[in-house]
């Protein structure tokens, strides 16, 4: 953490997502929100968030988005956890509506995605952010710019945006190699940059500030313990995590399942909360056999992440 980066003093470490649990009829079981936030508080995570890809925001109706966000904010406040609300939407006006609603719940920050139906030129990115800042009514923003976005911003563009938009205090992204981190130097000095959970140790060594952790899906307490471990030990654990991901998760990705399906599968395999791998319509789910294989691979490679 750089001393010049004041944002990193409050936005860092291991942040965890709520994961939707479905009832037998396919409807949302909203009692899972309180259960998961309580478990995250016990695990000692640095913060919690809703409305990301892993919580299937792209499948939610507006009524579901508002109900989930409201219940989540209430639970986070109850357990005294810093929280963010994701306001992703593929359409620009839909995004503004979600940002405005999220702001009404007083989160630490709102995770904002760029409109995603078509790619945006850089001037259009700025036009959207102008309105996003206005809709947030003073609430800070975290730019959620994952690798699968239609518009993936370059380091030089992120540098300009984080200079011109002080409301942006964080970035959620896919990270990169050593050159990417070098190109991101001034951004890393200005805002908190969060990378995928399975790259936590190497990412922080190169300048990142934390992760919205997929590894916390498998075990929030183990993800926290890993983040707090000695740097040499942390890198050794990351190598074993890579072996686990290659064995258990890469085959699922190779057969076309999205990462968020794998996140819910890991949460089910981790067995730290009552969970099912069933996805919201219309996405297919992993099988019971695949859940067993994930758990088995975790026991072999990263036993500290399974009970």
């Amino acid at each position: 953490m750089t001393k010049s980066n004041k944002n990193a003093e409050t936005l860092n470490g291991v942040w965890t997502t709520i994961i939707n649990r479905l009832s037998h009829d396919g409807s949302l079981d909203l009692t899972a929100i309180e259960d998961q936030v309580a478990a995250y508080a016990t695990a000692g995570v640095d913060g919690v968030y809703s409305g990301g890809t892993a919580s299937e925001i792209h499948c939610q109706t507006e009524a579901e988005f508002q109900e989930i966000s409201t219940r989540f904010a209430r639970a986070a406040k109850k357990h005294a956890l810093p929280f963010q609300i994701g306001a992703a939407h593929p359409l620009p006006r839909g995004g503004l509506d979600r940002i405005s609603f999220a702001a009404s719940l007083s989160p630490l920050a709102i995770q904002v995605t760029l409109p995603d139906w078509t790619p945006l030129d850089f001037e259009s990115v700025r036009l959207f952010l102008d309105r996003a800042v206005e809709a947030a009514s003073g609430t800070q923003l975290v730019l959620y710019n994952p690798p699968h976005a239609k518009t993936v911003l370059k380091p030089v563009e992120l540098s300009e945006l984080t200079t011109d938009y002080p409301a942006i205090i964080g970035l959620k992204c896919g990270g990169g190699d050593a050159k990417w981190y070098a190109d991101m130097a001034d951004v890393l000095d200005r805002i908190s940059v969060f990378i995928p959970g399975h790259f936590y140790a190497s990412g922080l060594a190169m300048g990142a500030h934390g992760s919205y952790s997929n590894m916390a899906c498998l075990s929030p307490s183990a993800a926290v313990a890993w983040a707090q471990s000695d740097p040499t030990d942390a890198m050794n654990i990351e190598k074993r995590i890579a072996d686990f991901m290659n064995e258990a998760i890469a085959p699922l990705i190779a057969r076309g399942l999205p990462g968020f399906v794998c996140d819910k599968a890991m949460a089910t395999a981790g067995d730290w909360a009552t969970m099912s791998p069933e996805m919201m319509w219309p996405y297919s789910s992993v099988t019971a056999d695949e859940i067993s294989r994930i758990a088995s691979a975790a026991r072999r490679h990263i036993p500290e992440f399974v009970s």
Side-chain angles (χ1 to χ4, degrees):
M1 185 186 306
T2 57
K3 292 182 179 179
S4 62
N5 188 343
K6 297 300 183 183
N7 294 309
E9 295 177 3
T10 55
L11 184 56
N12 60 71
V14 176
W15 285 62
T16 50
T17 181
I18 58 165
I19 300 171
N20 292 326
R21 186 169 69 206
L22 302 188
S23 301
H24 293 300
D25 62 359
S27 62
L28 289 169
D29 179 358
L30 297 176
T31 63
I33 296 172
E34 164 64 26
D35 296 343
Q36 290 174 36
V37 173
Y40 289 147
T42 299
V45 302
D46 294 286
V48 290
Y49 67 100
S50 66
T53 312
S55 57
E56 301 172 87
I57 194 168
H58 48 286
C59 298
Q60 297 170 20
T61 66
E62 293 312 299
E64 288 170 335
F65 164 73
Q66 293 189 9
E67 179 67 14
I68 289 169
S69 299
T70 301
R71 285 176 176 251
F72 166 71
R74 186 184 306 133
K77 291 173 183 177
K78 173 183 174 181
H79 293 280
L81 281 173
F83 70 99
Q84 299 173 43
I85 294 177
H89 200 289
L91 307 179
R93 293 187 184 278
L96 295 181
D97 289 343
R98 286 188 172 183
I99 292 168
S100 179
F101 181 80
S104 73
L105 299 174
S106 302
L108 171 68
I110 301 168
Q111 293 182 15
V112 173
T113 57
L114 299 176
D116 211 41
W117 185 249
T118 63
L120 299 181
D121 63 90
F122 192 58
E123 180 58 28
S124 297
V125 170
R126 296 180 66 95
L127 290 172
F128 176 74
L129 288 176
D130 288 341
R131 295 283 297 276
V133 170
E134 181 181 346
S137 302
T139 304
Q140 302 170 116
L141 304 180
V142 169
L143 187 58
Y144 181 10
N145 193 226
H148 61 264
K150 290 277 181 61
T151 306
V152 178
L153 296 167
K154 302 178 182 66
V156 65
E157 295 171 325
L158 289 165
S159 178
E160 182 175 326
L161 293 176
T162 54
T163 299
D164 294 346
Y165 294 89
I168 298 175
I169 64 165
L171 171 71
K172 180 181 181 181
C173 64
D177 57 15
K179 182 181 184 305
W180 182 86
Y181 278 97
D183 292 343
M184 287 282 289
D186 66 325
V187 178
L188 291 160
D189 281 344
R190 193 176 297 120
I191 68 169
S192 294
V193 175
F194 278 53
I195 42 85
H198 53 291
F199 296 136
Y200 189 93
S202 58
L204 262 67
M206 289 190 282
H209 305 93
S211 71
Y212 297 105
S213 180
N214 58 342
M215 294 309 299
C217 292
L218 186 62
S219 170
S221 59
V224 170
W226 176 33
Q228 296 173 349
S229 62
D230 172 86
T232 300
D233 292 339
M235 287 301 299
N236 289 331
I237 293 170
E238 185 169 310
K239 292 176 183 176
R240 291 192 283 114
I241 287 173
D243 292 336
F244 161 75
M245 297 292 283
N246 286 334
E247 178 181 335
I249 304 303
L252 302 178
I253 300 292
R255 76 174 179 87
L257 291 178
F260 60 87
V261 175
C262 300
D263 290 340
K264 185 178 278 192
M266 288 169 63
T268 306
D271 199 29
W272 53 270
T274 303
M275 186 55 60
S276 162
E278 295 302 315
M279 306 301 298
M280 295 181 71
W281 181 86
Y283 289 90
S284 58
S285 310
V286 300
T287 66
D289 286 344
E290 287 168 329
I291 295 294
S292 296
R293 285 196 286 272
I294 291 171
S296 177
R299 284 191 290 270
R300 285 195 303 279
H301 296 294
I302 44 172
E304 58 267 66
F305 276 80
V306 288
S307 57

